[in-house]
Amino acid sequence: MATANRASSYNVATRGNLLDAAERLFAIKGYEVVTLKEIAEAAAANVGQISYHFGQKDELINAVILRRAGVISEERIQLLESYERLVGHRGCQLEPIVRAFVDPYFAKLKSDDPGWRCYALFIGRNVWDAKLAEAITEGYNPTAHRYIEAIRRAVPSLTEVDGVRAFQFLLAGLYGSTTNDSRINGLLGDSGLDVDYDGYQETLVPYVVGGIRSIGAMRVSAGTTR
C-alpha cells in the first residue's frame, strides 16, 4: 500500500511538474515550437511520462489551458453570483460586473505564483488562435455567456451582437494589458510599463465601462435596440 501511495504521489507531482514546465516554455518560446523533449527536460522527467499523463502534445496544450481556466472561471462566477444575490439581477450595474471579471485575473498576476504570469503570456498571445479554440471554448465559454448576459442586463439597449462584441473588447483590453508587449515599453521608453498591473487595472475598468455604455447610448439614439 505504501508503495502504491508513493507511486500515486509521484504521478500527481510529475503531472503538475509537466504542466508547469510546458506553461513556462509556451510563454517564453511559443507553444508551436516547444518540443516534448524540452518540456520533459525542464520538468526533470522524460517524454514517456508526458505520453502517460497526456498522450499527444495537443492534449498537453489543452491541459495547460484548462488547468488555470477552471480556477479563474470559478472565481469570476462566484463574484458575479455574490453581487447578483446582493443587489438582485435587475439591480446590477456595469462597473461592478466588469470588475468581477477583471479583478481576479489581475490578483493572480500580482500573486506570489509566477505560473499565473506565464499563463497570462501564453493565453494572451494565443487566445484568438483557431488551433486552441476547442480548449478555450471548453474552459471559458460558460463563464463568458454568464457575463455577457449580465452586461446586457446592466445595459439593456445592447443588442445580442453588441453584448458579444463588448465582451470581446473587454477580453482584448485585458489580454493586451497582460502580455508583456515590448511595443508598449517602446512607446514611452519605460521598461517596466508592460508589467504595471496596478496601472493597467486602474485604467482598464473605466475604459471598458465607458465604451460599453457608449455603445448602449448609440443604440438608444439610433433607435436600433432589440
Side-chain angles (χ1 to χ4, degrees), residues 21 30 100 108 110 112 129 140-141 143 170 181 190 200 207 209:
K108 296 296 185 187
K110 291 183 281 187
D112 294 331
D129 189 334
Y140 288 102
N141 271 26
T143 301
L170 166 57
D181 188 351
D190 185 342
Y200 275 116
Y207 175 82
V209 169

Side-chain angles (χ1 to χ4, degrees), residues 100-150:
F101 188 84
V102 166
D103 287 354
Y105 199 66
F106 279 105
K108 296 296 185 187
L109 297 183
K110 291 183 281 187
S111 73
D112 294 331
D113 181 357
W116 278 103
R117 292 183 282 281
C118 290
Y119 184 76
L121 294 178
F122 167 52
I123 289 294
R125 293 168 180 166
N126 297 286
V127 68
W128 317 119
D129 189 334
K131 296 177 183 177
L132 306 183
E134 185 175 346
I136 295 288
T137 295
E138 179 183 347
Y140 288 102
N141 271 26
T143 301
H145 287 307
R146 287 282 284 108
Y147 270 86
I148 291 169
E149 291 169 2

Side-chain angles (χ1 to χ4, degrees), residues 154-217:
V155 186
S157 56
L158 296 178
T159 67
E160 183 177 2
V161 173
D162 288 337
V164 173
R165 286 175 175 164
F167 186 76
Q168 182 183 24
F169 298 152
L170 166 57
L171 291 180
L174 181 62
Y175 292 131
S177 301
T178 56
T179 53
N180 290 19
D181 188 351
S182 58
R183 168 105 174 110
I184 298 300
N185 288 337
L187 289 172
L188 286 178
D190 185 342
S191 61
L193 185 64
D194 58 346
V195 291
D196 178 16
Y197 299 130
D198 287 324
Y200 275 116
Q201 186 175 7
E202 180 183 15
T203 54
L204 178 62
V205 172
Y207 175 82
V208 170
V209 169
I212 295 174
R213 285 175 177 161
S214 294
I215 296 171

Side-chain angles (χ1 to χ4, degrees), residues 22-67:
E23 182 178 69
R24 185 167 60 254
L25 289 170
F26 292 164
I28 295 170
K29 301 180 64 173
Y31 79 91
E32 290 185 304
V33 301
V34 173
T35 67
L36 295 183
K37 182 179 178 182
E38 288 177 299
I39 294 169
E41 289 177 351
N46 57 64
V47 173
Q49 287 170 315
I50 296 177
S51 299
Y52 172 79
H53 287 287
F54 304 103
Q56 302 299 314
K57 182 181 176 181
D58 287 347
E59 300 306 316
L60 173 60
I61 295 170
N62 290 348
V64 169
I65 293 170
L66 294 174
R67 177 175 61 158

Side-chain angles (χ1 to χ4, degrees), residues 70-126:
V71 174
I72 196 68
S73 294
E74 182 177 356
E75 289 191 20
R76 285 167 167 164
I77 290 296
Q78 287 177 349
L79 281 175
L80 180 59
E81 290 181 345
S82 295
Y83 178 53
E84 290 173 338
R85 286 194 298 269
L86 181 64
V87 301
H89 276 66
R90 296 299 171 184
C92 291
Q93 299 297 307
L94 182 59
E95 182 173 337
I97 293 170
V98 172
R99 287 196 176 280
F101 188 84
V102 166
D103 287 354
Y105 199 66
F106 279 105
K108 296 296 185 187
L109 297 183
K110 291 183 281 187
S111 73
D112 294 331
D113 181 357
W116 278 103
R117 292 183 282 281
C118 290
Y119 184 76
L121 294 178
F122 167 52
I123 289 294
R125 293 168 180 166
N126 297 286

